[in-house]
Amino acid sequence: MTDAPSPTALNKAADDRIALYEALLSLRSREEVDAFLSDLCTPSELRAFAERWAVARLLDAQAQTYREIALTAGASPTTVVRVARFLKDMQHQGYRLVLDRLKTKV
């Protein structure tokens, strides 16, 4: 049986996440985002982020089946289903927020 994280550890994790958000919000260009994320993430983590974002965009376009999206994005069917669930059902709606904002920029 593992012990639950202490309230202090939970607060530190929340503070660290907020500090990360502030760091991301301070970036002013694609080049700065690329430099920061390249330092922060492993190449595999960046590929996973990019893959999920590609899946989200393809799902939003509603032009392909889940299987076709998996092939196009080079993602697993599990990833496609997970992203679809977050896109449709989850409370945060982060994918939807960004997809809609990018549509209004075009």
Side-chain angles (χ1 to χ4, degrees):
M1 183 166 144
T2 59
D3 294 328
S6 71
T8 303
L10 291 175
N11 287 339
K12 180 176 180 340
D15 289 347
D16 288 346
R17 218 164 61 195
I18 289 168
L20 175 61
Y21 301 160
E22 292 300 322
L24 289 167
L25 288 168
S26 76
L27 301 171
R28 295 187 178 138
S29 69
R30 287 182 184 152
E31 292 78 16
E32 288 182 1
V33 172
D34 181 58
F36 183 68
L37 291 179
S38 293
D39 286 348
L40 183 67
C41 303
T42 66
S44 293
E45 290 167 334
L46 280 175
R47 280 192 301 275
F49 289 155
E51 179 183 284
R52 287 184 209 129
W53 184 236
V55 168
R57 293 188 336 263
L58 290 166
L59 286 164
D60 189 53
Q62 299 180 350
Q64 296 179 316
T65 66
Y66 283 16
R67 180 167 297 187
E68 291 168 334
I69 289 170
L71 289 171
T72 300
S76 71
T78 303
T79 296
V80 176
V81 170
R82 183 181 313 120
V83 172
R85 188 179 72 240
F86 274 86
L87 190 57
K88 294 176 186 173
D89 301 330
M90 300 307 272
Q91 66 181 350
H92 308 296
Q93 290 297 300
Y95 284 123
R96 175 58 44 217
L97 174 72
V98 176
L99 287 164
D100 290 349
R101 281 196 183 153
L102 290 175
K103 284 180 190 173
T104 62
K105 285 181 78 174
V106 176

